[in-house]
Amino acid sequence: MQDMKYAIVHIADIHYRKEAPEGASSIIKAFVEDLKEQVETLSDYQFSIAMTGDIVQAGEDLESYEAVIAELDEQLNAMGIKKNSRIVVPGNHDINRKLVNDNYDNYIEIHDNCTKNEEEFNNFMCNRNQLHDKFENYELFVSDFAKYDTSFSCLGWGYNIGDKVGVYCLNSALCSFGGLRGVDDEGRLAVYTRGLVDWCNNKTTTANILLLHHPLDHLNAWSRTELQSIIEKHFCLCLSGHNHLPAVYHSKIPQSSLMCSAPPLFSNKQDTLAYSIVLIENDEPSIIKYREYSNGNFFPSPRLAKTDDGIVNLDNTYLHSLKQLESSLQNALQYFKGQPSVFIKPKLSESRNFNDEDNLLDELIDSPENVLIVAPPQFGLTCLALYMRVQAFKKTRKLFIYIDATHIKARNVLNFIEEELQRYKNQASNIESIMIDGWDNTVTDHSNMIKTIDEMYAGIPFILLSSKTVCLQPTLSLSKVNRTFKVYHLQALSRSSMRELVSGYNVVKNVGKEDEILSHMAKHMEAINIHRTALNCLTLLRVLEGSYKEKVLNRTKLMKAILFILFTDNDSFSYSNESPEVDECTFVLGQFCKDLVMRATGSFDANEFSDRLKNICTDNLISLDVDRMVQVLIDNCIIVRHGNTLEFKHTFWVFYFAAECMLHDDSFKDYVMRGKKYVNFPEIIEFYSGIDGKREDAINILLSDLNQLIDKVDNNIGIKGAFNPLSKFLWNPTEGFIEETRKEIAEKVDSSNLPSEIKDKYADKYYDSEAPYNQSINNFLEDYAVRSLLQSIKATSRALRNSTFINRDLKLATVTAIFRGWEEISKVIFWISPLLAQNGRAAHDGLNLVLASGFSEDMNERFREILMANPLNVVATLKDDLSSKKIGPLLSKHLAESDSELQRHFLAIFLLEERPTEWNKHLLRHLNLLHPSSFYLGNLLTNLEKEIKTGFIEKPEEIQLKRLVGAILAKRRYAGKTLDKRTKAIPPDMMLSTENELPIDQLLSSHTSIPRRSR
């Protein structure tokens, strides 16, 4: 959140006289017109107006005060400067001089006897006396025109004009005689300091402004000394008036507080008439704009500002330092040219897994302690550190010293800290914490660095940030410095944080509909097993921003697009020095990754890597600058270094490059396909089939292997043929349930669904944030048949999704085998469900299940709930590998032709959740065939309601989903006479039958006009 910026319009010495409209009144009109322009120009500032005394020529003239209100009140309101944004203090002309004259001797006595010292004067002023009485007209003016509440006191009062900005109005005219009988106020005035000190001690604001009419040199000795000390300690800005022709209009005392004396808005038209605007940014004055009156208008005043443009740029050390800190953060946030700058607040936790615990970040900024923050490379640790540095400086003006341990050596670190203090014009006592980024507990120099700093800055907390240290314990002890560090983890982005990033990106470069883009990003990152980091999100958004607009999840094209962006955003490394030859790089890396796959390893020797790539180029007569290519891969963290070992940061790059090799190397393709090695890494099949969409060689092998694995699992569990306990379940909702649901669906279609943040949290329940930490290449083919079947289904599904151009019959045979596989997995889950109900967990042949919360405490009821949850769990596990907007016709055909009621129910759930082409038409046809009492119809209703409530749906989809709910209710209503509650089972031939169909007009009748059955 950006800090509020304030514009304080400073005017003084209006000397308004109602009987002289050719005087101040004409100046006020010009002032109002000029102020309107300034408010429009500085539209991002919050305006207040500060009047530092001498509002009228004679304080006893109440009508002059009323005339000022008439001149200004309505005009200021129109500009948005309301009463609460108007601040007024009295001047010597604002006292009732008639009252003073009539009681002259009493006032002289008070002055002579009660102003000698601070305590005596404060005690005297605590009770109302004649000094109060002379401000009655002024107080009436304030109550009608300006900020006024129960805290008001004519002695002085304070209040806040923002969360961080406070104002104190001090009456410096308490002892003024207003020029009566030749009494000169200069050097004689006393101020009431007790109220001022109390306010200063209790204030919560960081930027504070003092208003008074008289400059300090008009105060008596003790008042001047005390007030100067208070200003230096508590106020960044002091505004005054009175001096019509001061030599200096702004100065510092000594360096910390800005003193501004306003030129008169009106004395006589021969004087210099002007006003100023003081701009406050980040709790400190930054600019003064002087506006001078001439010939009926106000203009910038070079004479007052002593600059050509009438603007004084103040030496705001704090603001200058803050801008440097913010600039460093902004530079770190830029991952590629032209990227929108979007910052998402990081989350720190004691666990690296997603959780609902509080974010520890703000607490660490407010109260720094010894902490080690760990995360994988390119998670955003540097941006986190720079963000913490900015926030700490904003909140407390304290420094978090940032040290990059990859560039600063231990022998130079103390000099570096001194340079940082000089750079930000600060002292060692202002260091709140020392952050060391890139820290590695295996590097001796880093340990020496910490020891060196600890000896010089003992007691200052260290915050270490490391992508090299793996620490799953809650604390870490460093013996060299005798410190124990808490261990925090920088978590991956939640779905709501990803949404925030997409939203911010879309503001600058519209990529597409927010929900759609977010869903694609989440699925891509989960499928290729990469962390949800800001960098990964921005890379995908950059791809989506360009040519990759396909809704089908062809990740082969996605990988190629990412490579193209990474290479083209760097200098060319191809022979032509134009655009890089991504295809040549892919070929060479594919040959290299072939060996990694065959050896089931992701690591390789750093020294041999370039030589091996150069040999591949030589053997294949390819001209390529290998060293520059490798540098691009390292710079973009496609490859990461661990000592003398390199590895691909994410294994999907290994599989992508290896899949490209399969296109050119038949022996390697046979190794992957004929040996069923792909079961260990289905990604390689997805990338291979996505190259051109017509890899029938792969599909044929996948189809054969999948059918064999299904048969093998079927033989292992010993249940031959169909096994579906759900076919015996009946759906018999009560009349009240039907009526309640009918009313819900009859509500206006434009009724709001759950907020996006709740839907995002619901979606994150199914995201495994731990999975991307595992980047190993699996090898479990020979051990677990069920797990191999799951992987085979995934591989075949991904291949089919990408195989747009293969033979029609091959497509149909493959989709049939895939859903046969789904049914086999379902059968295994049914088979182990009793154990799951009894123990809360069950395992068979590589399939491990754990019961989630929310199931019944009763054993029998829990078993029933587990059986009923089976279809949804199978679909949730396997749907993403098949999901594509373009796969709708193929799935719809299988929905219509399959002879398995369970497979058709899988397909129905898939259609309503994924909504491929023409999903609504085929789903409506399917549910119309279902028996009104079937479990499947009731289960579809449950899933439809869940999707309406928690799904990411567009308004047309919401209408279609609600229409389907209405169709299910219509089947219950219109089929009522055919339902026999005594029926214990539905005949198999009636579960899905044309005899269950309703006429389309009844099926789609208005939700509110469905007739009630007679009782």
Side-chain angles (χ1 to χ4, degrees):
M1 179 178 177
Q2 189 171 11
D3 285 345
M4 181 67 72
K5 298 192 293 186
Y6 299 89
I8 309 297
V9 180
H10 185 198
I11 62 175
D13 300 281
I14 302 175
H15 302 118
Y16 194 93
R17 290 186 296 161
K18 184 181 179 182
E19 72 277 5
E22 71 282 353
S25 180
S26 62
I27 305 295
I28 287 176
K29 287 181 173 59
F31 161 72
V32 165
E33 290 303 312
D34 189 64
L35 184 56
K36 286 179 184 177
E37 293 182 12
Q38 299 305 311
V39 170
E40 291 177 3
T41 301
L42 301 169
S43 58
D44 55 339
Y45 285 78
Q46 177 180 309
F47 269 76
S48 295
I49 187 166
M51 298 180 171
T52 52
D54 286 359
I55 312 301
V56 296
Q57 178 66 19
E60 62 270 20
D61 181 9
L62 185 59
E63 290 186 352
S64 288
Y65 279 123
E66 292 170 346
V68 171
I69 294 174
E71 293 265 17
L72 284 173
D73 186 55
E74 190 174 324
Q75 301 276 18
L76 292 175
N77 280 336
M79 289 181 240
I81 307 176
K82 308 292 185 181
K83 282 184 64 174
N84 282 351
S85 297
R86 305 172 197 167
I87 315 157
V88 185
V89 292
N92 48 287
H93 280 269
D94 293 308
I95 69 172
N96 187 332
R97 284 186 288 184
K98 183 177 184 305
L99 183 64
V100 175
N101 190 56
D102 292 344
N103 298 276
Y104 179 79
D105 291 339
N106 289 338
Y107 279 99
I108 286 291
E109 183 180 355
I110 290 171
H111 185 275
D112 290 344
N113 295 330
C114 299
T115 62
K116 294 177 181 178
N117 62 68
E118 181 179 18
E119 183 178 2
E120 187 175 347
F121 183 70
N122 285 337
N123 289 338
F124 176 73
M125 295 305 299
C126 281
N127 300 308
R128 188 171 181 90
N129 56 62
Q130 287 180 307
L131 295 188
H132 296 73
D133 297 338
K134 61 184 178 180
F135 296 102
E136 285 185 355
N137 286 348
Y138 159 77
E139 183 173 349
L140 287 172
F141 167 71
V142 173
S143 66
D144 289 340
F145 177 75
K147 170 77 174 178
Y148 184 85
D149 55 30
T150 55
S151 66
F152 176 86
S153 168
C154 71
L155 306 179
W157 74 104
Y159 55 90
N160 297 348
I161 61 173
D163 293 338
K164 296 184 178 181
V165 179
V167 173
Y168 195 88
C169 302
L170 184 64
N171 189 345
S172 63
L174 289 172
C175 297
S176 172
F177 283 81
L180 284 171
R181 304 190 186 188
V183 177
D184 187 358
D185 287 339
E186 187 167 354
R188 294 169 53 91
L189 302 178
V191 292
Y192 179 70
T193 58
R194 185 170 297 163
L196 172 60
V197 170
D198 286 345
W199 184 83
C200 289
N201 289 337
N202 291 291
K203 61 180 170 56
T204 58
T205 48
T206 53
N208 299 288
I209 305 169
L210 180 67
L211 269 66
L212 73 164
H213 177 65
H214 296 89
L216 297 187
D217 57 11
H218 279 57
L219 306 184
N220 64 20
W222 67 260
S223 294
R224 182 167 59 251
T225 300
E226 291 300 321
L227 193 55
Q228 180 162 326
S229 174
I230 292 170
I231 291 172
E232 288 182 26
K233 187 174 181 181
H234 294 285
F235 293 92
C236 65
L237 177 63
C238 179
L239 303 178
S240 63
H242 191 72
N243 275 353
H244 292 188
L245 293 172
V248 179
Y249 282 96
H250 60 272
S251 60
K252 290 269 190 176
I253 60 163
Q255 293 295 328
S256 56
S257 302
L258 178 68
M259 308 291 292
C260 289
S261 178
L265 192 64
F266 179 77
S267 54
N268 62 69
K269 291 188 177 180
Q270 286 69 46
D271 287 343
T272 298
L273 307 180
Y275 75 97
S276 64
I277 302 175
V278 182
L279 302 185
I280 297 177
E281 297 182 52
N282 300 103
D283 309 339
E284 226 177 275
S286 58
I287 286 175
I288 306 175
K289 297 182 70 174
Y290 285 102
R291 310 287 297 173
E292 185 175 346
Y293 178 82
S294 178
N295 298 322
N297 295 290
F298 280 85
F299 299 93
S301 177
R303 174 167 43 166
L304 299 180
K306 295 180 173 56
T307 62
D308 292 340
D309 57 3
I311 295 175
V312 178
N313 288 293
L314 301 170
D315 183 19
N316 187 329
T317 303
Y318 166 76
L319 188 60
H320 178 72
S321 297
L322 180 61
K323 286 181 177 179
Q324 288 187 77
L325 297 175
E326 289 178 329
S327 177
S328 296
L329 174 59
Q330 288 300 317
N331 290 337
L333 289 173
Q334 291 297 314
Y335 294 124
F336 54 80
K337 300 172 186 176
Q339 170 217 314
S341 181
V342 184
F343 181 78
I344 307 301
K345 184 177 180 179
K347 179 178 179 181
L348 292 183
S349 174
E350 292 178 348
S351 169
R352 70 184 187 184
N353 296 329
F354 275 12
N355 56 62
D356 293 327
E357 296 171 3
D358 291 340
N359 190 346
L360 300 174
L361 178 57
D362 289 337
E363 181 182 340
L364 183 59
I365 294 172
D366 294 339
S367 303
E369 53 185 328
N370 294 319
V371 169
L372 167 64
I373 303 174
V374 295
Q378 292 206 331
F379 237 65
L381 284 172
T382 297
C383 290
L384 167 66
L386 298 178
Y387 169 78
M388 291 173 65
R389 188 169 66 155
V390 169
Q391 293 304 307
F393 196 69
K394 280 184 176 181
K395 288 182 177 182
T396 65
R397 304 198 177 204
K398 296 282 189 177
L399 276 180
F400 276 37
I401 297 291
Y402 172 80
I403 300 169
D404 183 354
T406 60
H407 295 100
I408 304 297
K409 298 297 181 183
R411 64 179 181 274
N412 300 322
V413 69
L414 294 181
N415 288 336
F416 174 80
I417 293 174
E418 283 298 318
E419 289 170 2
E420 287 292 281
L421 289 173
Q422 293 176 19
R423 180 184 180 189
Y424 297 109
K425 298 182 179 179
N426 239 302
Q427 299 174 347
S429 60
N430 218 27
I431 298 177
E432 191 79 353
S433 177
I434 295 175
M435 299 186 295
I436 303 178
D437 190 14
W439 185 77
D440 187 344
N441 61 333
T442 66
V443 177
T444 303
D445 192 67
H446 292 184
S447 299
N448 293 336
M449 178 186 296
I450 288 178
K451 184 179 179 182
T452 301
I453 299 172
D454 184 64
E455 290 172 353
M456 178 62 69
Y457 297 99
I460 293 179
F462 288 173
I463 298 176
L464 311 179
L465 302 102
S466 178
S467 61
K468 303 291 180 66
T469 304
V470 178
C471 185
L472 299 180
Q473 300 301 316
T475 60
L476 174 74
S477 296
L478 296 181
S479 57
K480 276 198 172 185
V481 292
N482 195 27
R483 295 192 188 211
T484 298
F485 290 76
K486 289 183 178 179
V487 177
Y488 289 170
H489 297 267
L490 175 57
Q491 288 200 335
L493 298 181
S494 66
R495 195 178 179 108
S496 61
S497 294
M498 291 170 62
R499 178 183 296 279
E500 187 180 346
L501 193 151
V502 171
S503 177
Y505 198 101
N506 256 346
V507 169
V508 181
K509 295 186 176 183
N510 190 277
V511 181
K513 294 178 180 178
E514 188 175 292
D515 282 345
E516 186 176 305
I517 296 299
L518 178 63
S519 178
H520 283 189
M521 284 173 51
K523 286 182 177 179
H524 282 317
M525 284 190 275
E526 192 166 357
I528 57 182
N529 200 29
I530 61 174
H531 289 286
R532 291 178 178 178
T533 66
L535 176 59
N536 289 336
C537 288
L538 288 167
T539 302
L540 289 175
L541 284 170
R542 177 66 179 86
V543 172
L544 293 169
E545 177 192 322
S547 59
Y548 184 73
K549 293 285 187 181
E550 300 177 51
K551 292 183 179 179
V552 60
L553 302 179
N554 188 330
R555 295 191 180 91
T556 312
K557 296 180 180 178
L558 173 66
M559 295 300 102
K560 190 167 186 176
I562 291 174
L563 282 176
F564 183 78
I565 287 167
L566 294 179
F567 286 139
T568 55
D569 279 351
N570 287 271
D571 294 333
S572 172
F573 54 86
S574 64
Y575 71 95
S576 63
N577 283 327
E578 296 176 356
S579 61
E581 295 293 338
V582 174
D583 289 340
E584 291 180 358
C585 300
T586 303
F587 177 87
V588 172
L589 290 168
Q591 295 292 320
F592 179 80
C593 288
K594 173 183 73 173
D595 295 336
L596 298 182
V597 170
M598 296 180 72
R599 291 189 288 115
T601 182
S603 302
F604 42 94
D605 186 89
N607 298 323
E608 296 176 2
F609 181 46
S610 291
D611 292 341
R612 175 75 178 102
L613 295 178
K614 290 174 182 176
N615 290 336
I616 293 172
C617 290
T618 300
D619 292 343
N620 291 275
L621 304 178
I622 293 174
S623 175
L624 184 66
D625 189 336
V626 168
D627 292 333
R628 295 188 68 187
M629 179 187 73
V630 170
Q631 194 59 50
V632 170
L633 297 174
I634 292 175
D635 288 345
N636 289 283
C637 274
I638 293 176
I639 290 175
V640 292
R641 180 184 294 274
H642 297 286
N644 292 326
T645 301
L646 296 177
E647 64 182 36
F648 283 88
K649 181 181 176 183
H650 298 293
T651 54
F652 70 81
W653 286 115
V654 176
F655 301 136
Y656 169 74
F657 291 126
E660 291 284 342
C661 180
M662 289 171 63
L663 190 65
H664 308 287
D665 189 330
D666 289 339
S667 63
F668 179 57
K669 180 176 68 177
D670 286 344
Y671 169 82
V672 172
M673 301 302 303
R674 301 292 179 187
K676 297 183 183 178
K677 294 293 184 181
Y678 63 83
V679 173
N680 295 309
F681 29 79
E683 298 89 347
I684 200 169
I685 296 302
E686 178 178 18
F687 292 135
Y688 178 64
S689 61
I691 291 173
D692 57 11
K694 52 185 179 182
R695 298 285 98 200
E696 290 191 2
D697 53 344
I699 295 293
N700 279 309
I701 295 173
L702 290 167
L703 178 58
S704 174
D705 290 347
L706 178 55
N707 283 322
Q708 289 178 25
L709 274 169
I710 293 170
D711 292 339
K712 181 178 180 180
V713 171
D714 207 46
N715 288 329
N716 286 351
I717 62 175
I719 301 176
K720 299 299 180 184
F723 175 65
N724 178 17
L726 298 177
S727 62
K728 298 178 182 180
F729 283 29
L730 297 178
W731 180 47
N732 286 312
T734 64
E735 184 71 20
F737 174 84
I738 294 294
E739 181 64 18
E740 183 181 347
T741 305
R742 183 190 69 79
K743 287 181 178 178
E744 288 180 5
I745 300 306
E747 290 177 356
K748 294 179 181 179
V749 169
D750 61 355
S751 63
S752 62
N753 294 314
L754 288 174
S756 294
E757 58 267 25
I758 296 178
K759 293 182 180 182
D760 290 336
K761 192 170 183 179
Y762 181 85
D764 273 345
K765 287 170 60 179
Y766 303 100
Y767 173 64
D768 182 6
S769 59
E770 186 71 15
Y773 287 98
N774 179 16
Q775 294 294 331
S776 60
I777 297 178
N778 296 317
N779 189 9
F780 51 76
L781 173 62
E782 297 177 358
D783 299 326
Y784 303 112
V786 175
R787 191 171 179 187
S788 294
L789 174 58
L790 276 169
Q791 295 296 97
S792 181
I793 294 170
K794 288 176 176 288
T796 308
S797 297
R798 295 183 184 187
L800 178 63
R801 180 175 64 192
N802 286 345
S803 300
T804 308
F805 308 113
I806 64 172
N807 177 272
R808 175 183 183 276
D809 292 337
L810 185 56
K811 283 184 183 180
L812 292 171
T814 305
V815 79
T816 299
I818 287 170
F819 279 94
R820 185 175 165 231
W822 284 32
E823 188 168 13
E824 192 65 31
I825 295 297
S826 174
K827 188 188 293 188
V828 174
I829 296 174
F830 280 138
W831 188 55
I832 61 176
S833 289
L835 193 61
L836 187 60
Q838 181 175 349
N839 299 331
R841 59 178 62 244
H844 173 70
D845 211 11
L847 178 68
N848 297 288
L849 301 178
V850 178
L851 197 62
S853 60
F855 284 85
S856 173
E857 294 294 325
D858 179 76
M859 172 79 135
N860 291 331
E861 179 61 21
R862 183 162 67 249
F863 176 56
R864 176 177 170 275
E865 290 171 352
I866 291 171
L867 294 179
M868 293 173 63
N870 181 299
L872 184 61
N873 278 294
V874 171
V875 174
T877 301
L878 297 169
K879 68 180 176 67
D880 286 343
D881 298 298
L882 194 59
S883 180
S884 165
K885 293 295 182 184
K886 295 182 179 181
I887 206 168
L890 178 59
L891 299 187
S892 299
K893 187 169 182 61
H894 188 61
L895 175 67
E897 297 179 354
S898 174
D899 57 2
S900 167
E901 63 189 49
L902 189 54
Q903 288 186 35
R904 293 171 84 169
H905 190 54
F906 291 150
L907 278 159
I909 297 174
F910 182 95
L911 289 177
L912 78 87
E913 290 192 354
E914 297 302 301
R915 297 186 288 281
T917 308
E918 297 187 329
W919 66 275
N920 181 53
K921 178 178 72 173
H922 297 291
L923 193 52
L924 181 65
R925 165 69 177 162
H926 171 72
L927 68 84
N928 200 15
L929 294 172
L930 286 169
H931 191 279
S933 289
S934 74
F935 159 80
Y936 305 116
L937 193 64
N939 192 243
L940 276 179
L941 177 62
T942 300
N943 284 287
L944 280 165
E945 290 177 324
K946 185 201 76 173
E947 191 67 17
I948 291 169
K949 186 177 182 181
T950 64
F952 297 95
I953 54 178
E954 299 291 330
K955 193 57 65 178
E957 292 176 321
E958 181 185 347
I959 295 171
Q960 292 170 325
L961 289 168
K962 288 183 174 180
R963 185 176 291 130
L964 290 173
V965 173
I968 292 175
L969 299 181
K971 284 184 69 70
R972 291 293 307 183
R973 286 283 188 176
Y974 285 111
K977 293 181 179 180
T978 68
L979 301 179
D980 187 347
K981 293 184 179 180
R982 295 171 298 178
T983 301
K984 299 300 182 182
I986 301 171
D989 60 341
M990 288 296 293
M991 187 68 72
L992 278 157
S993 171
T994 55
E995 294 184 31
N996 297 324
E997 286 186 293
L998 286 179
I1000 195 67
D1001 59 329
Q1002 291 184 356
L1003 191 66
L1004 297 180
S1005 58
S1006 170
H1007 309 315
T1008 56
S1009 62
I1010 298 174
R1012 293 176 177 271
R1013 285 164 39 201
S1014 58
R1015 296 179 182 268

